[in-house]
Structures are given as C-alpha cells and as structure tokens.
Amino acid sequence: MRNPVFGGVIAVLGVIALVLVYSSAFIVSQTQQALVLRLGEPLAPVTSPGLHWKVPFIDSVVYIDNRILDLENPQQEVIAADQKRLVVDAFARYRITNPLRFYQSVGTVQGANSRLSTVLNSALRRVLGENTFISVVRDQREGLMRQINEQVNREAANFGITVVDVRIRRADLPEANSQAVFQRMQTERQREAAEIRAQGNEAAQRLRARADREVTIVVAEATSKGEQLRGEGDAERNRIFADAYQRDPDFFAFYRSMQAYEASMKSSDTRMLLAPDSNFFRFFQNPTGVPAAGAPVALPAAGN
C-alpha cells in the first residue's frame, strides 16, 4: 500500500504547481496591450497578443486598450480673429502607442481624456482665434482641422498617445447672435426684394407710358387721316352733285326729290305738316315737275 502521507504531499505539490502556473501566465488579446509591473516598477510593455509569462506574486499586469478611442469634447465659445463669438463642438480620435509613457503620465483612459480635452481646447482657441468667422465656417475649415490635429499631437506625444483625427462637428454663432444675424439677413433680403420690385414697377410704368404714347400717336394719326379722307370724300361728293346738277338740273331735282320722299315717308312715321300745294309735292301734282304758269319754282340746294 502506498503511504497516504506521500499521496497527500503529491496532491499539495500539484495544487501549488497549478497555482504557480496560473499566477505566472497572462493572456493579451488583440484589442489590448499589457504592462508588467514588478513590485510597482514597470517593465517592458507587451504589445503582441497571446500567452505570456510573469513572475508570480511579484509581477502584476496592467492592461491598456489598443483600439482607437473617442474623445468627446464639450462645446465651448471661441472668439475669432474678427471678434465674432463661435460655439465650437469638436471631437478627437486617438490611440495609445506608448503604454509605458501612458501609464507613467496619465495612468488611465479617463485621465487621458481629461488631459487631452484641455490640450484640444487650447489648440482650438489658438488656431480659431487667428482666423475669421468665414474661414472657420466655410473657406479654410479642412486646413484648420489639420493645424489643430498637429498641435494636439505634439502635446499628446508626452502622454504616449497619437491623435488620429480631430474634427469640428459644428462651428456656429451663439443662439442670440444667430437670431440677430438671421433678422439682419431677412431685413437685407426684404430691402433687396423691395428695391427689385420698385425697379420692376418703374420699368412697367415706363413701358406702359411708352405704349400709351404710341397708341395716342397712332390714334391721332388715324383720326387725322380719316378726317382728311372724309373731307376729300365730301368734297368729291359735292363736286359730283354740282356736276350732275349742271348737266341736267331737272333730273337732278327729280332724283333728289325721290330721295327726300323715301327718307320722309317711312312706315314708322309718315306725318308731315305741309301745305298740299307746297313745292315739296310738286311731282305728285305734276309728274314732269314743271310748275304751273305763274307758280314760283323752288329748286333744291346742291348739298341737300
């Protein structure tokens, strides 16, 4: 039979060996890097993933993130070069590239965020304070972000950090200033609209006056021409009447009398207050129209 004491010793030694192995091994994942501390003093960092070893009960391991980390910076007011206030909302992306320096300078990610936020705010004030509002908002925004990134990177290197990117999410006037600018822009647009409308009305009135003048001239010329033609026609008519009267006075008198009868004896009104022996009815009394001996002869006027 085996000695039970010997078996117990073997079991205890096995447990101790397992504890020593477990305490000596540590695993570094793909998203991490590690820093081994021996009695509080840091050793060389471990950056390769996998299984690694340390001295049990003497060494300790601090894990540091190896991924790209976010820094959300609170909004702040910056005074631009043209003395305009800007509300700037910026953020940064960074990576821990020197675990030893990172551990010695800031220690944790929270500490790194606090220090980087101060550095980022200072860089924002320096760079944006040297440029105008238009340059920040529109003209040189990309170049300004590169300048801020470079300045933040120079100071972040002291923390074992490399800043990957700095972006300005929003750069605008404060709310009160934005309302004032909006109202000023609205007033300016209304003034321009009123000016354009006045210019349009002026042009319309000018065109309307020109058209009215041209209409008046055309109508006056047409009226003058019509009166001239009417006068010429009346003159021609009187000439024809006079010529006809001179050629055959008796026929002309008969023709004019027939026209007078037709005009006066209409179906709607045939009342006439004339003496029966009036010269107007001479063709009723005598078809030849020749008056009796001793009766006065009345000839119609040429223009009647």
Side-chain angles (χ1 to χ4, degrees), residues 68 73 156 236 278:
I68 294 177
N73 197 46
E236 181 66 16
S278 172

Side-chain angles (χ1 to χ4, degrees), residues 173-187:
L173 294 171
E175 185 64 25
N177 294 4
S178 297
Q179 290 297 328
V181 171
F182 174 76
Q183 292 177 359
R184 184 166 64 249
M185 293 174 62
Q186 186 179 27
T187 302

Side-chain angles (χ1 to χ4, degrees), residues 100-160:
L100 179 58
R101 184 176 295 178
F102 174 83
Y103 178 77
Q104 291 174 337
S105 58
V106 293
T108 62
V109 173
Q110 290 76 15
N113 287 343
S114 178
R115 299 288 294 274
L116 275 181
S117 181
T118 303
V119 173
L120 177 59
N121 290 339
S122 300
L124 285 171
R125 294 182 183 278
R126 282 195 302 269
V127 174
L128 301 185
E130 297 173 354
N131 292 271
T132 62
F133 171 76
I134 298 299
S135 299
V136 175
V137 174
R138 185 187 62 190
D139 294 344
Q140 301 177 8
R141 188 160 179 168
E142 190 70 25
L144 295 178
M145 287 189 292
R146 283 197 299 269
Q147 293 181 31
I148 296 171
N149 193 359
E150 292 173 359
Q151 293 190 15
V152 174
N153 239 332
R154 281 197 296 268
E155 299 189 38
N158 298 324
F159 311 139

Side-chain angles (χ1 to χ4, degrees), residues 4-234:
V5 175
F6 179 76
V9 171
I10 295 299
V12 170
L13 292 176
V15 171
I16 293 174
L18 290 176
V19 171
L20 289 175
V21 171
Y22 180 79
S23 301
S24 300
F26 65 95
I27 298 174
V28 178
S29 68
Q30 293 285 348
T31 61
Q32 292 176 329
Q33 47 192 335
L35 189 64
V36 179
L37 304 179
R38 179 162 296 170
L39 299 177
E41 292 296 326
L43 301 178
V46 179
T47 57
S48 59
L51 181 64
H52 298 272
W53 303 94
K54 63 183 178 62
V55 178
F57 308 114
I58 297 178
D59 294 345
S60 60
V61 179
V62 176
Y63 292 98
I64 298 173
D65 207 319
N66 192 34
R67 295 170 294 184
I68 294 177
L69 304 177
D70 298 334
L71 172 63
E72 293 294 337
N73 197 46
Q75 292 184 1
Q76 61 173 329
E77 283 197 5
V78 177
I79 300 178
D82 52 3
Q83 301 303 312
K84 289 186 178 180
R85 292 183 175 273
L86 294 173
V87 176
V88 180
D89 182 8
F91 65 92
R93 301 287 184 266
Y94 68 93
R95 171 177 283 163
I96 302 169
T97 55
N98 191 330
L100 179 58
R101 184 176 295 178
F102 174 83
Y103 178 77
Q104 291 174 337
S105 58
V106 293
T108 62
V109 173
Q110 290 76 15
N113 287 343
S114 178
R115 299 288 294 274
L116 275 181
S117 181
T118 303
V119 173
L120 177 59
N121 290 339
S122 300
L124 285 171
R125 294 182 183 278
R126 282 195 302 269
V127 174
L128 301 185
E130 297 173 354
N131 292 271
T132 62
F133 171 76
I134 298 299
S135 299
V136 175
V137 174
R138 185 187 62 190
D139 294 344
Q140 301 177 8
R141 188 160 179 168
E142 190 70 25
L144 295 178
M145 287 189 292
R146 283 197 299 269
Q147 293 181 31
I148 296 171
N149 193 359
E150 292 173 359
Q151 293 190 15
V152 174
N153 239 332
R154 281 197 296 268
E155 299 189 38
N158 298 324
F159 311 139
I161 292 172
T162 298
V163 177
V164 177
D165 193 16
V166 174
R167 292 289 169 178
I168 297 176
R169 182 184 291 115
R170 174 176 172 266
D172 204 352
L173 294 171
E175 185 64 25
N177 294 4
S178 297
Q179 290 297 328
V181 171
F182 174 76
Q183 292 177 359
R184 184 166 64 249
M185 293 174 62
Q186 186 179 27
T187 302
E188 182 67 18
R189 297 301 181 272
Q190 290 175 349
R191 185 190 63 79
E192 292 179 359
E195 182 178 353
I196 293 173
R197 192 177 294 109
Q199 293 175 355
N201 290 334
E202 180 183 359
Q205 292 177 359
R206 186 164 56 248
L207 292 174
R208 193 177 295 111
R210 185 185 300 116
D212 292 341
R213 184 172 62 252
E214 292 177 356
V215 168
T216 303
I217 293 174
V218 171
V219 171
E221 291 178 351
T223 302
S224 174
K225 187 66 174 179
E227 293 296 333
Q228 180 181 355
L229 293 176
R230 188 177 295 106
E232 293 176 356
D234 291 342

Side-chain angles (χ1 to χ4, degrees), residues 255-304:
Y255 176 72
R256 295 287 287 173
S257 297
M258 292 301 103
Q259 287 182 332
Y261 293 156
E262 182 180 5
S264 60
M265 297 181 182
K266 293 182 178 180
S267 58
S268 59
D269 187 8
T270 57
R271 292 175 295 177
M272 291 183 294
L273 298 176
L274 296 172
D277 56 351
S278 172
N279 189 41
F280 183 74
F281 295 110
R282 66 184 182 277
F283 286 99
F284 286 90
Q285 298 172 359
N286 186 356
T288 61
V290 178
V297 179
L299 295 176
N304 296 333

